[in-house]
Amino acid sequence: MFTQSYQNILVGIDGSDQAMEAFKKALNVAKRNYGTVYVANVIDHQIYTFMSYSPLNENIMDQLTTDAKNLINECKAVGKEFGYNKIEGVIAYGSAKEAMAKTLPEKYDVDLIMVGQSGLNAVERFMTGSVASYVIKEALCDVLIVHPTTK
């Protein structure tokens, strides 16, 4: 019988409920496999250009980086409550699609990417396309899409 053991799990976090749900499920997978969860926030300058913001200046970049660090710390706190601390925070800059599908998996030897179904609203998805859809098609490893829990 074939069993899959995932040692390096990548989760994209953007502050959305879907991303946090994916992170929590990644904690379960990592705990079962004694693996590491890499929580990544990708600061994608293209989204801000599409949404009519001026090119990212230093103040905006500093704020986005601070926000990313806060998201990572929030995930580490959730992991601690869950009883699992093999969590590495990653802040990347550039295309979220490329970072999640290729760059970060190569850099961290990722064998599973877990993403929330969508952290974008309909307009943002139309303008930028779904990161999850791109990751499914282009990823260098297995991908698990976490659908929102219905209440």
Side-chain angles (χ1 to χ4, degrees):
M1 181 173 150
F2 176 75
T3 58
Q4 179 64 53
S5 175
Y6 296 110
Q7 295 301 303
N8 296 309
I9 302 156
L10 176 65
V11 181
I13 55 169
D14 59 5
S16 68
D17 292 342
Q18 297 93 332
M20 185 54 76
E21 196 163 342
F23 169 70
K24 289 176 181 175
K25 288 187 178 183
L27 284 175
N28 280 307
V29 174
K31 194 171 189 176
R32 281 194 305 269
N33 292 283
Y34 307 102
T36 300
V37 178
Y38 293 89
V39 288
N41 182 267
V42 182
I43 298 172
D44 190 339
H45 58 85
Q46 291 179 340
I47 289 176
Y48 294 93
T49 304
F50 281 139
M51 296 178 72
S52 300
Y53 290 100
S54 60
L56 295 181
N57 66 35
E58 193 173 322
N59 292 339
I60 294 172
M61 287 301 289
D62 288 347
Q63 184 59 54
L64 292 172
T65 301
T66 297
D67 293 345
K69 288 177 184 175
N70 290 339
L71 285 172
I72 290 167
N73 288 335
E74 181 182 336
C75 287
K76 288 182 177 183
V78 168
K80 187 175 183 178
E81 287 176 22
F82 183 74
Y84 203 74
N85 63 1
K86 289 182 71 175
I87 301 165
E88 298 292 331
V90 177
I91 300 173
Y93 300 88
S95 165
K97 293 175 182 182
E98 287 295 319
M100 289 300 297
K102 298 177 182 175
T103 310
L104 296 176
E106 285 176 1
K107 183 173 184 177
Y108 296 103
D109 196 27
V110 169
D111 46 23
L112 177 65
I113 302 168
M114 294 178 70
V115 292
Q117 186 176 21
S118 177
L120 301 175
N121 67 35
V123 173
E124 290 167 329
R125 271 195 311 277
F126 175 74
M127 297 299 285
T128 64
S130 168
V131 172
S133 295
Y134 184 85
V135 170
I136 290 167
K137 289 185 273 186
E138 301 294 332
L140 305 171
C141 61
D142 290 349
V143 178
L144 190 140
I145 303 300
V146 177
H147 291 273
T149 303
T150 54
K151 295 183 181 184

